[in-house]
Amino acid sequence: MPAEIKGLNEECGVFGVFGAPEANHLAYLGLHTLQHRGQEGAGIVTTDGTEMYQYRNRGLLAQVFKNQADLDHLVGEAAIGHVRYATAGRHTLANVQPFLFRFHDGDVALAHNGNLTNAVTLRRQLEDEGAVFQSDSDSEILIHLIRKHIKQGFIPALKQSLNELHGGFAFLLLQKDRLIAALDPNGFRPLVLGQLPDGAYVVASESCALDIVGAKLLRDVQPGELLVIDRDGLHEDHFTTKTQLAICSMEYVYFARPDSIIHGVTVHNARKRMGKLLAAEHPVDADIVIGVPNSSLSAASGYAEGAGLPYEMGLIKSQYVARSFIQPTQALRERAVALKLSAVRGVVAGKKVAVVDDSIVRGTTSQKLVKMLRDAGAKEVHLLIASPPFRFPCFYGIDVSTRAELMAAHYSIEEMRQQIGADSLHFLSVANLIKAIDLKDTGNAPYQGLTVAYFNGDYPTPLYDYEASYLASFNAQEQRMRKEQLKS
Amino acid sequence: MPAEIKGLNEECGVFGVFGAPEANHLAYLGLHTLQHRGQEGAGIVTTDGTEMYQYRNRGLLAQVFKNQADLDHLVGEAAIGHVRYATAGRHTLANVQPFLFRFHDGDVALAHNGNLTNAVTLRRQLEDEGAVFQSDSDSEILIHLIRKHIKQGFIPALKQSLNELHGGFAFLLLQKDRLIAALDPNGFRPLVLGQLPDGAYVVASESCALDIVGAKLLRDVQPGELLVIDRDGLHEDHFTTKTQLAICSMEYVYFARPDSIIHGVTVHNARKRMGKLLAAEHPVDADIVIGVPNSSLSAASGYAEGAGLPYEMGLIKSQYVARSFIQPTQALRERAVALKLSAVRGVVAGKKVAVVDDSIVRGTTSQKLVKMLRDAGAKEVHLLIASPPFRFPCFYGIDVSTRAELMAAHYSIEEMRQQIGADSLHFLSVANLIKAIDLKDTGNAPYQGLTVAYFNGDYPTPLYDYEASYLASFNAQEQRMRKEQLKS
Amino acid sequence: MPAEIKGLNEECGVFGVFGAPEANHLAYLGLHTLQHRGQEGAGIVTTDGTEMYQYRNRGLLAQVFKNQADLDHLVGEAAIGHVRYATAGRHTLANVQPFLFRFHDGDVALAHNGNLTNAVTLRRQLEDEGAVFQSDSDSEILIHLIRKHIKQGFIPALKQSLNELHGGFAFLLLQKDRLIAALDPNGFRPLVLGQLPDGAYVVASESCALDIVGAKLLRDVQPGELLVIDRDGLHEDHFTTKTQLAICSMEYVYFARPDSIIHGVTVHNARKRMGKLLAAEHPVDADIVIGVPNSSLSAASGYAEGAGLPYEMGLIKSQYVARSFIQPTQALRERAVALKLSAVRGVVAGKKVAVVDDSIVRGTTSQKLVKMLRDAGAKEVHLLIASPPFRFPCFYGIDVSTRAELMAAHYSIEEMRQQIGADSLHFLSVANLIKAIDLKDTGNAPYQGLTVAYFNGDYPTPLYDYEASYLASFNAQEQRMRKEQLKS
Amino acid sequence: MPAEIKGLNEECGVFGVFGAPEANHLAYLGLHTLQHRGQEGAGIVTTDGTEMYQYRNRGLLAQVFKNQADLDHLVGEAAIGHVRYATAGRHTLANVQPFLFRFHDGDVALAHNGNLTNAVTLRRQLEDEGAVFQSDSDSEILIHLIRKHIKQGFIPALKQSLNELHGGFAFLLLQKDRLIAALDPNGFRPLVLGQLPDGAYVVASESCALDIVGAKLLRDVQPGELLVIDRDGLHEDHFTTKTQLAICSMEYVYFARPDSIIHGVTVHNARKRMGKLLAAEHPVDADIVIGVPNSSLSAASGYAEGAGLPYEMGLIKSQYVARSFIQPTQALRERAVALKLSAVRGVVAGKKVAVVDDSIVRGTTSQKLVKMLRDAGAKEVHLLIASPPFRFPCFYGIDVSTRAELMAAHYSIEEMRQQIGADSLHFLSVANLIKAIDLKDTGNAPYQGLTVAYFNGDYPTPLYDYEASYLASFNAQEQRMRKEQLKS
């Protein structure tokens, strides 16, 4: 459903634990808190040191593990798990992770968050050399590369393989005797390391997954790092030293849970600051401030506080929207929008309403939102966006890889306002976004360790397989400019 | 899950429509917005004027109607639907409503929200006279009474039967040629009348169900009213004139959706006023104000506004908690609380926190809540309850029919505070609760049309079957006092 | 599927046990062997002396009890169970038995095999007196009658009620402290009494259900009998003495399992004798004899033996035909017949084939059968039916209650042969059918304790609610004759 | 269930069609008739010339295709399908066929019946060269070999790969523009070619699958053949000429459907001849002859005919035994055997019974059978086996790959008789088995084109990966003898 409401989709969450009793239940709890990062499939692989056990299926975690027995048979003290949003690859079971590969010299399980930018090239090469892929997923490429280099030994083969990959990736690998975590040289996706009271290590996409299992947040995994966790504890290694943090700014704006702490910053606090800075940058004449639940509530309360206006619940989100919801007939389809989100007439009627949302992708949701508020009697609707206009695609793990669908790529803010039907439309500036997130000590000018390419086209890496189609999406004049902007 | 979090459960929601194409889809949409009133079963009965069609099952609406075909075969232009929370009666399919009774002289379907106070007596009498009940549900009694008097004709038999019932009831009945709505003489449960643009009438437990189908709210159904809707339109009738509005105040405090309008009052607004009055009545020395999602967010923002403190998101509620969630092992059970609700460390750590909740029933949730906030680093935790201490059971449709489980029935506020572990604990007064809800023109002193018996024991009706056990729950001295307080 | 192949359907099987540990599992095993008597629903009610437990659903027994837990929660040492074929009544869960009725003065469960001939009249009367039926099933009438007379005490009320019923019925009732079995005055349906090694009593529709639970066959329940089994053992009683055995001859011809023993006769042996007598009555010039699996194999081997011809497997029946089988498209529908039954080309090609079937109802199956054999190369196809032409409906529990669908009611044997496309068509005579079944000592001339009304229209009882429509199905001249033939 | 009853399991059935509308439905019908060859998984892959579509799951065909939609989305005019019995490989979805492999230069689907004898060696080699397997199934090896040689082009690569495989295999491959069938050089498993009235070709494991779709049996696929079917029709090719027919004799004894025609012989007829020759070889003093349903009924009727004894139905098999059957408690487990198979007391009581079975594997079933008959009153029980003692494992596709479980490998016939508890025990001789099957013109002395290694240890090929463990199962003296007997 978030997909429909927002048009932005994360590509998965990962969770790993080594050396803890009930690793299966820990993985289950951890994945549950990461469910917002992917709702189309889930799975867990565990090992007891002798065998590896896998269970995965399409759907939400609670749908996948409907039967206690399916979780219980995942025995052992080490586990990796995955929740999936299907970007690349068909929506089939074969694409649901963790993958489990069985070899005569030892099984390997794999979970991946991110998107590779040279996947097509690598897959074609590997197939021509004899490889047989079992999924459409980019994630499988790593294992084929490892096998290609396996005579060097597993860890050297893994390091070499990671250096052949480009793009955004946070990988967890599980073998019978160890858990391995690896993060791409730019650290595009979040990945944190934690520790349970009994000393066992946990690795997860977000710190909220550490909280739920009772693990203490130790630190963020660093770009280029390779962490190996086995019976002897944690081994800190790296596969490359050519690194530069460029974490996805949209994690702070929209994806991550408000209680997660990423590179030292609590997401809710960053969002509230976005709202406050937005109020300073774009004050509006309104009676009340409302947020779009749930992702924009932090920013909205920040805006209200900054603007000195009352913060109200002008929109409510149903807790009961199911995936399996029966689609109404054509005549009623319009109505069904309100199943997820509805306006509170008693709050907005007769008011000048400042509604705060986190971002605009396709714009269709904003349009419905404004209409819904006007239908409920709002006198004026001012739309305040707590991030800059989303103009450029992402190739590192957000499901927006073409410009075609991006409203801000094709229209001016005034044109957008007209189409959306708001009385005014305002965005946070890139500078204020960076200021609101406020990463410390990243030593990465000019964006302080963030990727803001979606707003300004300044990608921190070459685009590889995507470069041609990216450039083709511009007119001739723009192409030249954008080509120069790209790294190579 | 709300059951576990709160310990308060509503007894069902009803929805009816007559004369509209796609009555099945309208009922489905309407019931969806009423899902918060009952999650243990759902069903719809429709009629095309010739036949009546029923589908019902245990579970959430979207689980019940998993297959499009099950909804599609409910043809016709009239429908009633029901979402059930199982208080009285076993949790079996036979108890899921609407009931459909087939007679040689015409079928009748029935949906009920409320609780009868003379059900045991009536059922025993009817069985001794030959009646065979098909469910454990009180709701079935009405139909047996009607059949007992059927020689008078259906409507006279219905009126006589309604006068033989005591307690809280909002009934919808469907026959092949009409839809009937009836509300008890005190109007304990909410029931509203609306109209679709094409003139068809809709009746529902809350106005949010009118909004979703595009119906305009006409008015609340009045105590003692009997509405008959057929091809000729709306016929306004009543089965008694001895009426006095005494709607359940907990609908405003906790049960109803914030966007619903009950007797002219928007629920969110009432809650915000509760928060504001609570701030005036009980100011605390705090850095931030947080609410318990989702039911207490309105009151919390009211408190923050009233107290001039920052309103923060210190607790977050997962959107993905499923009924079928696999229970963690004993060792991890403690953790699982946080699956539904978790504290935002980055917000509360080091802060003096004022946390606003709507009510305390058993107190166990409050205890966990305070612990959770302290574990996340809160320096002080002040618990503010936006309603008075819940000391007396409800016999009109809330699932709290004995004093045994009510914390406030057995402990002083200071004792409660100690058990809960808060730095301070404060409740809204009854007078301020009535002032916050602010019903107009009900002509019902002293409580302005509300039932506040849960807080002061002043029940607006005799207790019938429940009186003996209610009195027995007090010591001898209290018994005398409470007996005098009861109507008879 | 049998329904489609044959067009004859039994109306249920019943099983009861009292005083045995694991009554639930015994009922499950027993019902499994009675599955051929009904495939549209199944259920079990048990009691531990304090509570009664019910589980039932639509579908085959193994589909109903998919989860071990559903069987396990049916605790106690007494049980009744039911497998249902839906004749009367809609195919809804409400109609699946055993029914469980809860009263303040004691619960009653009910399972029924048979068909009442005055159900419509009784139901109408009862409804006019205030009764509310929960199912469309005739079986429910008994409980309403009992409650009407309940002031007399349960057993007297039951006896009086049984005397108000007409038609065929084998009832099992379960109360917390006893199991009751009752059979109609003509004993239309089979019902046997058995005993487990530890002394506990078992009652079942067929003796094969005694075998599976290890119970010894004691005797058939007699017409008009009322057996009460409680902690003190077996109490033999009766509700009427006006009895005369007239058991359904089709039980021997088609319905019962070949290993069941009914009134002292093993069904397979009776069928084999039917085949032998058919060979004597109608010898044909054939190379081989084949049977239609599975119900006609006994008769076919009898025919082969009688005729001195080789018995071959010329038709085979798939073991894997599922209820949920996906229907092929129109173009392939013809083919799908062969999914259930297919001809063995290597056996029949070039041969003169005598194919033995047990009966002809609508004739469509026979037509397909003959075509199938010819397509597989049979030179000649002689169809031999091991029972007389089925000309008259049954009102006592077989699902053929109108003449409209009966081929033999409308056509001569020669006309039937032509439509079916066989080279010859022969039926067993009524006299030989009676001789083949060979009931001993029933003292019931002229049919030796059998109902053969399907073949000659001589019904052993008045037809009550069915008489008018039965007579209306004949032309004027026939009506007079048939009217005279009917009892009144 | 056959697995439990018999202890012998086939390894799958395959079906393919090219150039026919509704290929999905044809595959579904075809696989249904092959369901006896595997009940643990099923799947279909189709192609419309542009895309390939796959659906597969664990369970019976009708369970896999529960929803019409799952079959309907398999569009196109070509299909291959598979029913699986899980011998090698875990019972996971990943092992359910047809496999579908996607490559940048064209997708390939694969279905396999048989067992490779050098799979372990090949897989190890391939993995060391970089291959990543997605299943535990031997069947996947072929595709990795093909990709290894792909630079030669697909068909040359396929031919070379097939020559690198040893053991029994019938492969179907589907590409967007063609269907390919290949059979191992000994033709261990059956595979037939048929043609639909409109000219489209069909390939299937047994001719019964041609019958159901209305295809005419053209001929058996020959050992070493490679058939390619595309828009231009049938291309007959071969991958080797070093061939010698050695089809599994157990196909005739037990596996194949009685109506299938394999190498010109109808299975029922072969079985009946086995029974007749058994009667000649081993006459016994009995009153009646009975068969073990369903596989032994043909042989039993042959025995009865040969011996001039009455053929009776002394054992009946339930039509309703479901996979999901709830296991009874320990106390009742003994009883549950009779759920599948029960003795007909009225037939066998007091009789000297000759019971004919097709084979003895572990002997446990025979033991239960004899006990069951004696419990039902049989005076004597003579067990006649319509095949020779099963002494040696099979490595070509029957699930009996070790000697450990084979009763006849460890005991003399007299010892077996005593353990089984029969009054006498007799087996058909190898010579008479060959005579009964009676393959014509195979030019393959001494066994006339059959594999009878299970009875005499004379394997037609080297055993490769299995040789060491096979020899190790004998004592030292036997080892020498058996080693000499093996090809190399």
Side-chain angles (χ1 to χ4, degrees), chain D residues 147-170:
Chain D
R147 291 308 298 185
K148 189 172 154 185
H149 307 309
I150 193 66
K151 278 161 198 159
Q152 306 172 26
F154 190 85
I155 296 290
L158 171 60
K159 285 188 183 177
Q160 176 164 348
S161 302
L162 290 169
N163 278 296
E164 294 174 16
L165 301 179
H166 296 304
F169 55 80

Side-chain angles (χ1 to χ4, degrees), chain D residues 336-356:
Chain D
V337 180
L339 280 177
K340 294 161 202 156
L341 204 60
S342 49
V344 185
R345 175 174 300 273
V347 167
V348 303
K351 300 278 172 54
K352 289 184 280 185
V353 178
V355 54
V356 179

Side-chain angles (χ1 to χ4, degrees), chain C residues 22 28 32 65 68 212 257 266 268-269 272 311-312 317 319 325-326 329 335 339 342 346-347, chain D residues 22 28 32 39 65 68 212 257 266 268-269 272 311-312 317 319 325-326 329 335 339 342 346-347:
Chain C
E22 308 192 278
Y28 182 75
H32 186 270
F65 288 97
Q68 177 83 34
I212 192 76
R257 254 177 55 151
T266 296
H268 164 76
N269 294 344
K272 193 154 183 192
Y311 171 67
E312 297 288 345
K317 188 176 173 182
Q319 296 173 57
F325 208 78
I326 291 177
T329 53
R335 302 252 124 248
L339 280 176
S342 49
V347 168
Chain D
E22 308 192 277
Y28 182 75
H32 185 270
Q39 298 94 42
F65 288 96
Q68 177 84 34
I212 192 73
R257 258 183 46 156
T266 296
H268 165 77
N269 294 344
K272 193 154 184 194
Y311 171 68
E312 297 288 343
K317 188 176 174 183
Q319 297 172 56
F325 208 79
I326 290 178
T329 54
R335 303 248 126 252
L339 280 177
S342 49
V347 167

Side-chain angles (χ1 to χ4, degrees), chain C residues 211, chain D residues 314-315 342-351 370-379:
Chain C
D211 293 342
Chain D
L315 291 163
S342 49
V344 185
R345 175 174 300 273
V347 167
V348 303
K351 300 278 172 54
V370 171
K371 182 175 185 312
M372 189 181 282
L373 290 166
R374 291 204 195 278
D375 286 353
K379 207 162 65 183

